[in-house]
């Protein structure tokens, strides 16, 4: 699904390289993988996520997504693929608090080609998958932090994306809510969804089957997780 080779990202000011955020990063992620990208602040993981999710372009190197090189895709094509084939979960939830759960989950569909009559079923299926069907018409601002993140996951799922990018999804949650969110991502991966998790927390990273560790913009290690963590919490309570 994802193949990057020699990926480099330089930030330039007045013709001079001020920061080399990525330095020759290479790896492959297959369909159905659950991969954590981990590293300290300044390691390049946020820059890498932006490039993998088509929000930025590399300075050098190659990136192939589902067999297509992003070098040959226009910004409009990238935006279309991002909307149709990628789902996003953020640390800050990025939900509109005065809208209902239904309306928040519907947002990606508004920018898609999905006909209005078909949206209701997709939204109901998405919210059911995170165990919050009873909150469908609740104002989002009235939910707990853990519930908001589960709704954010439902929103990421509604377009049935090929890959889910989760950027520090437990960063604003207590340990119980964080375990519930990771349990949902783990369950989604077991159902065949590809999940790419960016985190600075080793405990969270170990829910994945594989950890790519970055340091100073380069891959320090790329190893399988021998025994991925499996939360014993009841995810949907």
């Amino acid at each position: 699904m994802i193949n990057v080779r020699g990926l480099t990202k330089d930030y330039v000011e007045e013709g001079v390289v001020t920061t080399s955020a990525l330095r020759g990063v290479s790896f492959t992620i297959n369909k159905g993988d659950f991969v954590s990208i981990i590293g300290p602040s300044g390691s390049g993981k946020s820059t890498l996520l932006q490039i993998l999710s088509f929000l930025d372009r590399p300075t050098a190197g190659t990136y192939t997504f589902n067999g297509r090189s992003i070098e040959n895709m226009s910004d409009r094509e990238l935006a279309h693929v991002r909307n149709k084939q990628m789902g996003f979960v953020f640390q800050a939830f990025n939900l509109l608090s005065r809208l209902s759960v239904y309306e928040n989950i519907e947002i990606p569909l508004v920018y898609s080609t999905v006909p209005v009559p078909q949206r209701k079923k997709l939204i109901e299926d998405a919210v059911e998958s995170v165990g919050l069907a009873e909150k469908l018409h609740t104002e989002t601002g009235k939910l707990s932090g853990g519930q908001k993140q589960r709704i954010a996951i439902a929103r990421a799922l509604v377009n049935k994306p090929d890959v889910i990018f989760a950027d520090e999804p437990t960063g604003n949650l207590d340990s119980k809510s964080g375990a519930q969110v990771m349990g949902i991502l783990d369950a989604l991966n077991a159902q065949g969804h590809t999940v790419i998790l960016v985190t600075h927390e080793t405990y969270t990273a170990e829910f994945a089957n594989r950890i790519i560790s970055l340091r100073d913009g380069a891959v320090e290690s790329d190893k399988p997780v021998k025994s991925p963590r499996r939360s014993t919490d009841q995810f949907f309570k």
Side-chain angles (χ1 to χ4, degrees):
M1 176 179 287
I2 289 174
N3 184 35
V4 298
R5 289 290 175 267
L7 215 61
T8 299
K9 181 62 181 182
D10 295 331
Y11 292 98
V12 179
E13 186 175 332
E14 297 182 355
V16 177
V17 175
T18 58
T19 305
S20 292
L22 295 176
R23 307 166 186 263
V25 171
S26 300
F27 57 80
T28 298
I29 295 176
N30 296 316
K31 182 176 175 59
D33 282 351
F34 188 164
V35 178
S36 287
I37 298 173
I38 193 169
S41 178
S43 62
K45 61 184 185 297
S46 294
T47 300
L48 178 59
L49 177 66
Q50 289 180 329
I51 292 173
L52 293 179
S53 59
F54 296 174
L55 295 174
D56 200 357
R57 291 181 184 263
T59 303
T62 62
Y63 173 20
T64 303
F65 180 81
N66 276 342
R68 295 187 65 187
S69 171
I70 70 166
E71 184 179 4
N72 301 321
M73 298 170 67
S74 68
D75 289 345
R76 184 172 182 177
E77 287 176 310
L78 292 177
H80 177 75
V81 173
R82 187 165 58 242
N83 179 258
K84 295 291 291 182
Q85 299 181 40
M86 297 178 176
F88 299 90
V89 183
F90 304 96
Q91 178 178 344
F93 315 137
N94 289 3
L95 300 172
L96 299 176
S97 60
R98 294 188 178 182
L99 296 185
S100 69
V101 166
Y102 184 101
E103 291 167 323
N104 269 283
I105 298 174
E106 186 182 25
I107 289 172
L109 300 176
V110 172
Y111 297 97
S112 72
T113 57
V114 177
V116 173
Q118 295 180 20
R119 293 179 188 175
K120 184 174 183 291
K121 174 66 168 149
L122 291 172
I123 294 167
E124 289 174 346
D125 287 349
V127 77
E128 179 68 32
S129 72
V130 299
L132 289 175
E134 75 281 4
K135 301 292 186 181
L136 189 59
H137 299 292
T138 301
E139 189 175 289
T140 307
K142 297 179 180 179
L143 302 179
S144 69
Q147 289 172 332
K148 288 177 182 177
Q149 194 60 293
R150 286 155 67 180
I151 295 306
I153 293 173
R155 181 185 58 191
L157 289 172
V158 74
N159 265 336
K160 300 187 181 299
D162 291 340
V163 59
I164 299 169
F165 291 101
D167 185 9
E168 301 281 5
T170 64
N172 285 338
L173 304 177
D174 60 37
S175 58
K176 181 179 180 180
S177 296
Q180 289 176 333
V181 165
M182 292 310 303
I184 291 171
L185 291 175
D186 178 52
L188 291 172
N189 176 248
Q191 294 167 15
H193 292 276
T194 305
V195 179
I196 299 176
L197 170 72
V198 172
T199 183
H200 67 279
E201 300 172 335
T202 301
Y203 177 87
T204 303
E206 289 175 349
F207 276 84
N209 302 111
R210 172 180 162 206
I211 297 177
I212 298 173
S213 180
L214 299 182
R215 184 172 293 276
D216 297 328
V219 175
E220 183 178 50
S221 63
D222 184 348
K223 299 178 179 179
V225 178
K226 292 183 179 179
S227 299
R229 293 184 185 275
R230 293 294 181 261
S231 175
T232 57
D233 286 8
Q234 297 297 312
F235 306 143
F236 307 135
K237 288 187 177 179

